Amino acid sequence: YLKSKNILTGIKVDTGAKSLAKHPGEKITEGLDNLRERLQKYHMEGADFAKWRAVITINKNIPSDTCMHANAHALARYASLCQENSIVPIVEPEVLMEGNHNINTCYEVTDKILKIVFQELKLLKVDLEAMVLKPNMVLSGLENNEKISEDTVAKMTYDVLNKNVPKEVPGIAFLSGGQSSDLATQRLNNLNKLYGNEKSWNLTFSYGRGLQQDALLNWATGNTKKAQEALIYRAKMNQHASLGKL
C-alpha cells in the first residue's frame, strides 16, 4: 500500500493458505499471530483497508465442515481486530472455480460458507456496517462444460447473496477468480441491471485478473502505450458495470 492523504489505501494481512492438518486437499489461511500489532503499525502508516482471503476448494468429499468453520472463524477474528484498530476489513471467502463441479454445487457451497461466515462475524461482534464482503460469483467449475445462461448466473448469484448477506453490509466487491476480463465485467453489469432496484448493498468489483489481464498481455509484448490504454479501458468498463450501465 502507499501512504496518501487523498487516496484510500489497503494491505493484504494474511500470510497465505496452508494445508489444513488431517484434511487432504483443503487449506486454512494463516496470519493471526501478532496481527493486532501489525494492524496498529499499518494504520499509523496510512492503511484504511485490509484484506484476508480464505480459499474453499470443491472436490470429492470436500469442502468439509471443518475447513469452512476454521476459515470462517479466522476471517471473523481478523475482521474484529481490523475494526478495533480503525481499519475496514475486506472479508474474502472464495469458493474456487478450479474443478469440474456444476453450478448447483457451487451454489450450495457458497450458500454454506456465507452462512457460516456471518455466524462467526456476529459471534466476534464485527460491525457489519463497517466491512466489505468479497465473494465469488456462482459459477460452474472451469473444467465443467455445462451451458448456463448469463441470466441464470446472475439469478443464482443474487439469490445466494440475498439469503445470506445482511442488509447492513454496505458493499459487496466481487472477485474475478478464473473469469476472463470480458465475462467478469459482463456478469457484474448483468447483476446490477437485473437487481439494481432490489439489492440492499452496492455491487462492485475487486478484480485482480479481471482488471489487469488485458494490460499484462500488452505489457508482455513491450507495448507500454497499449498496456496503459487497456488498463484504463477495463477500469472504465468495470465502473460502468458497477452501475449497470453497459
Side-chain angles (χ1 to χ4, degrees):
Y1 67 89
L2 300 174
K3 184 176 181 180
S4 171
K5 292 182 179 179
N6 301 313
I7 301 174
L8 293 176
T9 55
I11 186 168
K12 175 179 177 289
V13 296
D14 67 73
T15 57
K18 307 293 176 61
S19 296
L20 181 61
K22 298 187 178 182
H23 290 76
E26 298 194 279
K27 304 286 187 181
I28 180 69
T29 302
E30 299 180 347
L32 290 171
D33 289 349
N34 303 315
L35 181 57
R36 175 180 280 116
E37 291 76 18
R38 287 189 284 130
L39 289 169
Q40 291 169 351
K41 175 176 177 287
Y42 300 148
H43 179 62
M44 289 181 62
E45 293 179 356
D48 300 291
F49 291 84
K51 188 185 78 115
W52 183 289
R53 174 176 179 253
V55 295
I56 308 297
T57 302
I58 297 177
N59 207 332
K60 185 178 180 180
N61 300 322
I62 62 173
S64 65
D65 287 348
T66 303
C67 175
M68 288 190 280
H69 280 278
N71 276 293
H73 182 70
L75 279 167
R77 286 189 60 195
Y78 138 82
S80 63
L81 284 167
C82 282
Q83 291 183 348
E84 178 188 84
N85 290 285
S86 301
I87 290 178
V88 176
I90 300 173
V91 175
E92 182 178 359
E94 178 181 2
V95 178
L96 296 174
M97 286 183 67
E98 283 77 3
N100 63 359
H101 54 275
N102 60 34
I103 195 169
N104 290 320
T105 300
C106 181
Y107 179 96
E108 291 165 4
V109 173
T110 303
D111 178 55
K112 192 165 187 177
I113 187 61
L114 287 176
K115 192 175 274 82
I116 296 170
V117 164
F118 280 99
Q119 288 171 352
E120 292 292 332
L121 291 171
K122 182 178 179 180
L123 284 173
L124 271 291
K125 299 182 178 181
V126 173
D127 181 358
L128 300 184
E129 294 183 349
M131 62 162 279
V132 176
L133 178 68
K134 183 176 178 179
N136 54 281
M137 295 181 188
V138 175
L139 300 163
S140 307
L142 290 172
E143 298 169 21
N144 189 297
N145 295 319
E146 66 178 346
K147 301 298 182 184
I148 303 294
S149 73
E150 292 304 323
D151 282 357
T152 298
V153 170
K155 180 181 183 301
M156 295 180 76
T157 299
Y158 178 78
D159 185 67
V160 81
L161 295 172
N162 198 40
K163 281 174 61 179
N164 294 290
V165 183
K167 63 181 181 181
E168 290 82 3
V169 175
I172 296 174
F174 289 106
L175 57 91
S176 55
Q179 301 176 77
S180 69
S181 301
D182 286 335
L183 280 176
T185 302
Q186 177 187 339
R187 287 167 175 160
L188 176 61
N189 184 69
N190 208 21
L191 277 160
N192 279 300
K193 267 193 171 179
L194 290 172
Y195 301 104
N197 295 325
E198 299 178 32
K199 58 187 176 62
S200 303
W201 355 260
N202 290 312
L203 295 179
T204 184
F205 65 96
S206 179
Y207 294 161
R209 183 185 309 178
L211 182 62
Q212 303 168 17
Q213 187 176 38
D214 300 344
L216 290 173
L217 289 173
N218 282 288
W219 186 269
T221 68
N223 195 324
T224 304
K225 186 173 186 297
K226 279 193 174 182
Q228 293 171 333
E229 290 172 348
L231 181 60
I232 292 169
Y233 172 79
R234 184 56 54 187
K236 285 182 177 178
M237 291 302 99
N238 286 325
Q239 189 267 336
H240 291 317
S242 295
L243 302 172
K245 291 186 176 180
L246 288 182

